[in-house]
Amino acid sequence: MATKTKREAKKAADETPAAKPGPQAPILGLAIEAEPAVVRIGWIEDPELAPDRMLRPGDEEAIEGLARSMLEVGQLQPVLLERIGKDRYRRVFGRRRIAAAQRLGWTTINAVVTPPLTADQRRDVVAVENIQRQGLTPVEETLAVGDLMRHRAIPAAVQLARPLGPECGAYAGKVIDSALVMDLQEASSPAQEAAKHDVLLDPRVRARAAEQVAAMLGKTVAWVLDRLYIGRLGEKSRRLVHEGKLPLTHARGRYPSA
């Protein structure tokens, strides 16, 4: 067999390999399947809506440190991408890893690639991945838990299968069944968000949603409820929790029910 020329070897190295063979696996414990791949960084687009992580002071230094680590030991964790077309991918999470790879001059990055995701699937993945990171502040955890609670609101109401309480606004007295779920799926995004807000006002729905979120995260229900209590605090109190000056137990004491 003839030996490859340097030009041929470089071309082969630059080409993006196909997805590695093997069984598909769920992502972060959610019912979303994907496959590993090596993807050209130039084919990756940023998400259209919220970023996969809150920007905070020190991000630039963190990216520089990550780039040094990746140079020394390689990329230890893949990024998650959504395939949106031929040679087109949308980042679901992994902003820092992609930025670090770009600073190193890498043309490809290790990834896990999913088929097109629904908006709720994408938000679920981002929220779960955010919470599973190390070094997240209680306030950041609260934002992610709040997202997951809203996403679980309708499934929890369906599971309840009973008329909702009088506190649920337009949905008071209604049973959330498959027909109503289909109507909501066809409704506008603001209408869907309003429905999630209203059904979560029923404490039975809220309790079931908290149980589902806790199972998704591998946390206790009490841990989820603690984060919900933070979300009900005023701006000053949330800042004190963020700074570690107001313990979660005290925050919970201010609002004894979720």
Side-chain angles (χ1 to χ4, degrees):
M1 180 180 295
T3 303
K4 287 184 178 180
T5 65
K6 289 184 178 180
R7 180 177 296 180
E8 288 172 335
K10 183 179 184 303
K11 180 180 178 182
D14 283 343
E15 290 178 350
T16 301
K20 298 176 183 178
Q24 293 183 330
I27 298 297
L28 298 173
L30 304 176
I32 299 171
E33 296 185 340
E35 293 182 343
V38 180
V39 176
R40 281 186 180 276
I41 293 176
W43 292 348
I44 302 172
E45 302 176 10
D46 289 333
E48 298 174 351
L49 300 175
D52 61 326
R53 183 181 177 89
M54 294 175 62
L55 298 178
R56 57 165 79 172
D59 259 9
E60 285 300 310
E61 292 80 0
I63 291 172
E64 287 291 346
L66 180 57
R68 289 192 296 271
S69 173
M70 289 169 61
L71 181 62
E72 294 175 1
V73 300
Q75 181 189 347
L76 300 180
Q77 296 292 332
V79 300
L80 182 65
L81 307 176
E82 173 188 7
R83 190 187 301 275
I84 57 175
K86 186 180 186 302
D87 298 341
R88 290 185 62 208
Y89 301 83
R90 180 183 292 121
R91 171 173 53 80
V92 181
F93 62 71
R95 178 184 63 85
R96 283 182 173 179
R97 277 162 279 178
I98 293 173
Q102 288 174 317
R103 295 190 184 193
L104 293 173
W106 292 5
T107 58
T108 62
I109 194 165
N110 295 327
V112 175
V113 178
T114 74
L117 301 174
T118 66
D120 279 349
Q121 284 177 323
R122 194 177 302 112
R123 294 188 187 108
D124 276 353
V125 170
V126 171
V128 172
E129 203 272 343
N130 269 337
I131 291 174
Q132 290 184 351
R133 286 193 180 104
Q134 293 182 349
L136 217 60
T137 68
V139 172
E140 289 174 317
E141 290 174 343
T142 297
L143 294 174
V145 166
D147 284 343
L148 288 173
M149 287 289 291
R150 286 190 293 275
H151 304 161
R152 295 296 99 199
I154 301 303
V158 170
Q159 187 183 73
L160 178 65
R162 293 181 181 178
L164 297 178
E167 61 279 322
C168 293
Y171 292 89
K174 292 185 178 181
V175 176
I176 307 298
D177 55 17
S178 57
L180 189 51
V181 170
M182 290 182 64
D183 290 341
L184 285 172
Q185 290 174 344
E186 297 175 359
S188 66
S189 180
Q192 292 181 20
E193 292 305 313
K196 294 173 185 178
H197 171 272
D198 286 353
V199 302
L200 273 179
L201 294 176
D202 188 309
R204 299 166 299 171
V205 173
R206 198 157 59 247
R208 289 172 184 267
E211 291 173 357
Q212 293 178 17
V213 170
M216 291 168 67
L217 299 174
K219 303 285 188 180
T220 65
V221 173
W223 186 94
V224 172
L225 293 178
D226 278 343
R227 272 69 196 165
L228 294 180
Y229 296 139
I230 295 174
R232 298 178 59 189
L233 296 174
E235 182 179 350
K236 181 179 179 181
S237 296
R238 284 200 303 271
R239 186 172 65 251
L240 292 175
V241 172
H242 183 83
E243 294 171 352
K245 298 177 180 178
L246 176 62
L248 284 176
T249 51
H250 292 182
R252 187 166 181 169
R254 291 174 180 241
Y255 298 94
S257 62

